[in-house]
Amino acid sequence: MADVNDYINGEMARFKDELFEFLRIPSVSARSEHAGDIKEAASWVADRMRDAGLSASVIETPGHPVVLGEWKEAGPDAPTLLIYGHYDVQPPEPLDLWVSPAFEPTVRDGNLFARGASDDKGQLFLHIKALEAQLKGSGNLPVNVVVVAEGEEEVGSPNLVPFVESHRDRLACDAVVISDSSMFAQGIPSLLFSLRGLAYFEIHVQGPAGDLHSGSYGGAVVNPGNVLAQLLDSLKNSDGSIAIPGFYDDVMDWDEKTREAIRGLPFDQAEFEGEVRAPGLNGEAGFSLLERLWIRPTCDVNGILCGYTGEGAKTVLPAKAMAKVSFRLVPNQDPERVGELLKAHLDRIVPPEVEVTVEELHGGRPWKAELEGPFFEAARNALAKAFGTDPVLTGEGGSIPIVVDFQEILEAPVLLMGFAPPGANMHAPNEWIPLENFENGIRAVAQFYAELGG
Ligand code: BES
Ligand code: MN
Ligand code: MN
């Protein structure tokens, strides 16, 4: 391990320069004008995999390509690990809120700011560097490795399940390792015991064929904006629970041991409040803040479009209204079932004077970890050594839909160890990662391999 750590220390400056180069490529998967940047990012990742000593190919899909890196020289008797990450990023807007531009990586106070710094380029890249350090520093790895870097995670991975299914043999593995989540607190690494799932919808309310004068028609013609407000209000009870009949049927009650472990975490509520800067916090009655985030489902309006929103007043009765609404799900909820329940609920309460349609956008199933086995133990030891403190077990409110598919299709357990800081501004302006997390992340992953070998 000394040779590997010497290599990491000796090459760290170059590792960072390369990370900056990666972050300068605006690989925004949601925007067609960035298709060229996505391609550039894919071939850049493939080149870095080759630098590390892996073979690499850029594999086209109906959407953005998957980059597949492989090193199988540990032999047929050694276990195989699959490392997954994504090289695409969220759009950077609103641009004017970035202190330094989104695609010009900038270090302030030891923290690196750029879109993708945490989600997920920084975390994907640290795995590639850990592999490079192992293969170039020690000349060997105790396990076979497959690296899957996808370019469509931020648009719901529409082509990844077919990819995994059609490459099942090439991706065969004993465990999947993913770094696309956060640490519990700065300096405290974590392993995830769960991820929430996602069910995302667009609700459209159509009233009159065109906009009307609200004085001439208001009061006699039903207003789609008012109806949409009623529909949205009907989704939640005043105690913070979800009011859709049947919604809780599949919600698992977590065991008391997990709930107790959550209570025992050194959670700093003041720091959390500082992160969100809201006048107050609230959620489902009977559950703590962390439980509300990790082990309970929720429903959020993500956007509303209706009527006149420009300067001043315009007396209009809008023809239509639209809301984007998402549910975060917990084991054993199913996004399709949630869609059915939502539609049935709306059907029961929609007034006959408007037409409501519900479109399904992303879906992803919730995930619960297996917290034992040699890979889990190796990860726990590696994180403890690299960060100088034992990792804690945490849940995660966000979603990585492919996790459950990996587990089912490849029949392998999934391990999530995140290196993003809490409050990393993922998807928001001024996304960042402490350079220390990038460095210790590389050390932790290299140590993970060493633990598997020893
Ligand atoms: N890396 C995130 C998921 C995440 C966020 C994990 C925060 C841990 C902490 C991932 O890239 C993501 O953004 N997922 C989306 C879902 C996807 C279908 C667009 C999410 O959670 O909204
Ligand atoms: Mn991510
Ligand atoms: Mn993301």
Side-chain angles (χ1 to χ4, degrees):
M1 195 59 203
D3 43 3
V4 174
N5 281 326
D6 288 349
Y7 186 92
I8 293 173
N9 294 337
E11 302 297 324
M12 190 57 83
R14 173 175 60 85
F15 290 177
K16 288 179 194 165
D17 287 343
E18 289 176 355
L19 173 61
F20 292 9
E21 207 177 291
F22 190 19
L23 293 170
R24 276 188 206 106
I25 307 171
S27 49
V28 179
S29 48
R31 298 270 162 74
S32 49
E33 72 258 31
H34 286 292
D37 300 310
I38 282 275
K39 281 207 169 353
E40 188 189 336
S43 71
W44 191 93
V45 169
D47 285 341
R48 298 295 83 69
M49 288 177 179
R50 290 181 195 113
D51 292 349
L54 313 187
S55 63
S57 35
V58 175
I59 302 177
E60 295 302 327
T61 74
H64 302 315
V66 173
V67 189
L68 192 64
E70 292 168 291
W71 189 88
K72 298 276 178 75
E73 287 163 46
D77 296 331
T80 301
L81 277 188
L82 187 150
I83 314 295
Y84 163 85
H86 60 95
Y87 66 83
D88 66 321
V89 297
Q90 285 278 333
E93 287 81 9
L95 298 179
D96 54 318
L97 295 183
W98 285 81
V99 174
S100 50
F103 297 107
E104 286 176 27
T106 305
V107 179
R108 290 191 291 278
D109 269 348
N111 298 322
L112 171 59
F113 290 82
R115 171 59 84 235
S118 270
D119 187 12
D120 176 44
K121 283 170 159 177
Q123 299 197 64
L124 166 64
F125 191 58
L126 70 83
H127 274 275
I128 298 175
K129 292 297 105 176
L131 285 167
E132 178 186 318
Q134 279 287 346
L135 289 170
K136 300 277 142 109
S138 80
N140 210 357
L141 261 180
V143 293
N144 299 303
V145 171
V146 184
V147 186
V148 174
E150 84 152 312
E152 298 191 309
E153 198 277 345
E154 298 293 10
V155 291
S157 305
N159 296 294
L160 195 58
V161 170
F163 177 90
V164 176
E165 277 169 344
S166 60
H167 293 78
R168 196 190 294 257
D169 292 340
R170 225 166 141 185
L171 304 184
C173 60
D174 300 283
V176 177
V177 176
I178 302 177
S179 296
D180 188 19
S181 54
S182 312
M183 307 211 328
F184 177 67
Q186 192 49 19
I188 308 182
S190 73
L191 286 161
L192 293 192
F193 63 72
S194 68
L195 281 168
R196 289 197 289 192
L198 181 64
Y200 199 127
F201 307 95
E202 240 175 61
I203 302 175
H204 294 261
V205 182
Q206 178 72 51
D211 286 359
L212 300 171
H213 189 291
S214 68
S216 312
Y217 298 94
V221 177
V222 174
N223 183 319
N226 294 43
V227 172
L228 180 63
Q230 284 164 8
L231 298 184
L232 296 177
D233 185 53
S234 78
L235 299 178
K236 273 191 156 182
N237 297 310
S238 56
D239 65 0
S241 63
I242 288 153
I244 299 171
F247 185 85
Y248 287 95
D249 287 357
D250 298 328
V251 170
M252 186 188 88
D253 282 327
W254 281 80
D255 51 291
E256 193 44 43
K257 203 175 139 221
T258 304
R259 293 189 69 181
E260 203 183 305
I262 295 174
R263 279 194 292 274
L265 289 170
F267 179 60
D268 185 339
Q269 176 139 348
E271 194 176 310
F272 182 88
E273 284 167 2
E275 231 172 88
V276 298
R277 287 169 295 161
L281 300 173
N282 211 341
E284 188 183 355
F287 294 92
S288 70
L289 196 152
L290 289 179
E291 289 178 334
R292 289 168 179 173
L293 294 175
W294 294 348
I295 65 169
R296 298 299 295 173
T298 186
C299 165
D300 280 287
V301 172
N302 299 108
I304 299 182
L305 199 62
C306 177
Y308 180 71
T309 56
E311 192 182 344
K314 179 188 183 194
T315 47
V316 64
L317 193 163
K320 57 190 180 180
M322 184 276 278
K324 293 186 186 263
V325 176
S326 65
F327 296 83
R328 293 288 167 171
L329 312 179
V330 299
N332 298 306
Q333 290 183 289
D334 172 63
E336 274 181 38
R337 177 82 186 125
V338 168
E340 287 162 13
L341 293 170
L342 171 68
K343 285 177 201 164
H345 167 70
L346 295 178
D347 278 349
R348 282 189 293 269
I349 61 172
V350 166
E353 300 81 11
V354 296
E355 267 173 25
V356 169
T357 49
V358 176
E359 259 177 64
E360 290 172 23
L361 304 178
H362 300 316
R365 286 175 290 168
W367 170 79
K368 188 170 179 286
E370 277 171 38
L371 299 173
E372 50 190 38
F375 300 103
F376 183 79
E377 291 311 320
R380 188 203 290 269
N381 294 338
L383 288 169
K385 284 180 189 159
F387 287 87
T389 178
D390 281 342
V392 291
L393 287 176
T394 63
E396 172 54 59
S399 309
I400 310 176
I402 197 64
V403 168
V404 180
D405 296 301
F406 275 141
Q407 206 164 278
E408 288 180 0
I409 301 170
L410 303 176
E411 296 176 46
V414 184
L415 210 79
L416 277 117
M417 48 172 150
F419 301 106
N425 293 330
M426 291 184 184
H427 301 197
N430 306 309
E431 181 178 346
W432 61 292
I433 193 166
L435 282 171
E436 188 193 341
N437 292 25
F438 175 70
E439 296 170 14
N440 286 338
I442 297 172
R443 295 191 179 103
V445 176
Q447 183 66 41
F448 174 61
Y449 291 114
E451 300 281 326
L452 289 174

